[in-house]
Amino acid sequence: MRIGILGTGTLAAALGEGWTRAGHELTVAGRSPSKARELAGRLGGGARALTPRQAVEDRDAVLLAVSWQGAEDMLRDAGGGSLAGTPLIDPTNAVEHGVGVVLTGPGEAMAQRIAALAPGAHVVKAFNVFPSAQWTRAGGGPPVTVAMCGDDPRALRVVGDLVRDVGGLPAVLGPLDRARQLEEVAGFVIGLAFAGTDPGSAVPSLPTAAV
């Protein structure tokens, strides 16, 4: 696939490395052109550093790998309307650092804000729970489940394939109006982790037959 990555941080690098290994064609853009060039060089595989608007042109999917505070500026630079019809992966978490409290309004999801900023884009909430290091670990353990929300079936299939390409198992939670639930889960995980508790120990492991 032809994938555009908006952002140059750790998640952009981790997923970009996995998708490059899987043979996808990547374009990278960020606030700093020099950081975009550096990341494209590290990714190899013909990855190119471009402007945000160029990086999302004619892409099969776009990853918005920026902080939640920077999403509006990045989408404006990319030309939000130019993403119409494109699967737009949203891993952002609008949560208070170290505490995990969700900072969007009551009942509001960051994914819904992003959908409004990129009219016509097929937003899929995904990759917002696990830290970026999850996608650079060597194999050996069982694959983790990446819960996703989205309204467009084709976009969910595309993102599901990209989840598998980095060693995850995609699971559709529901439409985009359930994205707030995923963002609350991320806040729960962050809050426990910063308090020194393994979040996995706080979630029951149920036999499939009991679900």
Side-chain angles (χ1 to χ4, degrees):
M1 283 189 264
R2 297 160 300 177
I3 305 169
I5 296 180
L6 298 175
T8 58
T10 55
L11 184 62
L15 292 177
E17 288 170 9
W19 291 336
T20 298
R21 286 194 302 271
H24 299 302
E25 174 195 300
L26 271 58
T27 52
V28 181
R31 289 181 299 174
S32 166
S34 62
K35 288 183 179 180
R37 288 192 295 271
E38 190 273 334
L39 177 56
R42 276 197 288 137
L43 295 177
R48 295 175 293 150
L50 301 171
T51 67
R53 190 175 292 269
Q54 292 169 332
V56 304
E57 288 178 354
D58 197 28
R59 298 288 96 184
D60 297 306
V62 171
L63 171 69
L64 181 64
V66 298
S67 68
W68 69 273
Q69 299 98 325
E72 182 173 359
D73 288 343
M74 181 59 75
L75 288 171
R76 183 184 61 244
D77 291 345
S82 65
L83 287 159
T86 303
L88 177 60
I89 305 168
D90 166 33
T92 63
N93 287 312
V95 299
E96 185 177 350
H97 179 72
V99 178
V101 174
V102 175
L103 298 176
T104 49
E108 181 191 19
M110 187 63 198
Q112 292 168 317
R113 286 191 188 180
I114 287 170
L117 293 166
H122 299 310
V123 177
V124 175
K125 191 81 189 184
F127 294 113
N128 72 306
V129 176
F130 290 95
S132 56
Q134 172 65 44
W135 312 116
T136 58
R137 291 173 184 161
V144 297
T145 297
V146 176
M148 309 186 303
C149 291
D151 294 331
D152 184 78
R154 178 185 168 276
L156 287 167
R157 287 194 299 271
V158 167
V159 178
D161 287 342
L162 294 174
V163 168
R164 293 185 186 94
D165 285 339
V166 293
L169 292 175
V172 178
L173 179 64
L176 199 64
D177 62 11
R178 293 193 68 179
R180 168 83 182 202
Q181 200 169 4
L182 280 184
E183 294 171 12
E184 291 277 13
V185 167
F188 167 82
V189 168
I190 290 167
L192 285 181
F194 271 87
T197 299
D198 174 12
S201 69
V203 179
S205 178
L206 300 176
T208 302
V211 176

